[in-house]
Amino acid sequence: MPEKETLDAAKRDLAEGKSPSTAAGEFVREEIEHVREGKHGARSAKQAIAIGLSKARRAGIPLGAPNQKTTSAETRRKAAQDSRRGEEDPVTSEERSTKRGRTQLNATKKEPKTSVSRAALSKQAKSAARKRGQTVRRTRATRGV
């Protein structure tokens, strides 16, 4: 599933003592690149981020559970399932048939690539920051986080 370089970068981040969310960022970056290359389809930046986090959980990155107040029960259940898969049997390579891959490639050609443009990612980041509240934004801006 994830590329070897992505797994290595994430493991390096964890070994350096960085947070699991920083390590998971490598998977999100990879997913955004895949959408831009046309290897994978995503209708929005938020969807591309969710796919990257799912890949990270399945690869064994110890991410926490999604927020109960803002996430649906179905999404939390899927995240728990991905985390269990990552603990028991981490996914480290592509596992699919040729026919499925060909079908997926044809489907992704129809998906937009603008969903992970710089403007779309900026818009998503700003809306996520707005939800966190002004106090959090102000403290993170001054600390450079």
Side-chain angles (χ1 to χ4, degrees):
M1 208 136 165
E3 295 172 2
K4 189 175 184 339
E5 297 84 36
T6 304
L7 277 169
D8 292 342
K11 286 179 182 173
R12 194 177 328 110
D13 286 346
L14 290 174
E16 290 174 1
K18 294 182 181 175
S19 72
S21 62
T22 302
E26 297 291 338
F27 291 88
V28 174
R29 184 194 54 73
E30 177 192 54
E31 187 57 33
I32 287 169
E33 288 303 315
H34 282 188
V35 174
R36 286 177 178 164
E37 292 168 4
K39 285 185 181 178
H40 202 284
R43 299 276 166 106
S44 67
K46 192 179 279 191
Q47 186 180 28
I49 292 166
I51 294 168
L53 292 176
S54 178
K55 280 184 176 183
R57 284 189 174 100
R58 290 173 64 106
I61 304 298
L63 288 170
N67 188 343
Q68 283 192 320
K69 293 179 182 176
T70 59
T71 314
S72 68
E74 185 178 352
T75 302
R76 289 195 311 272
R77 191 167 52 248
K78 173 69 173 150
Q81 174 186 324
D82 289 341
S83 293
R84 276 195 307 275
R85 174 72 192 268
E87 290 168 7
E88 295 166 6
D89 182 27
V91 178
T92 56
S93 65
E94 291 286 338
E95 300 169 356
R96 68 166 59 109
S97 69
T98 308
K99 186 173 183 180
R100 182 171 177 167
R102 191 168 47 247
T103 304
Q104 182 186 11
L105 187 64
N106 289 334
T108 56
K109 285 180 182 177
K110 298 171 190 169
E111 296 292 329
K113 290 179 180 56
T114 56
S115 58
V116 290
S117 65
R118 285 180 65 93
L121 291 172
S122 174
K123 184 178 176 183
Q124 197 281 328
K126 287 176 184 174
S127 68
R130 218 174 294 119
K131 286 180 187 174
R132 282 195 293 270
Q134 192 171 11
T135 310
V136 176
R137 287 200 312 272
R138 194 177 295 126
T139 56
R140 289 189 180 174
T142 57
R143 288 188 307 181
V145 177

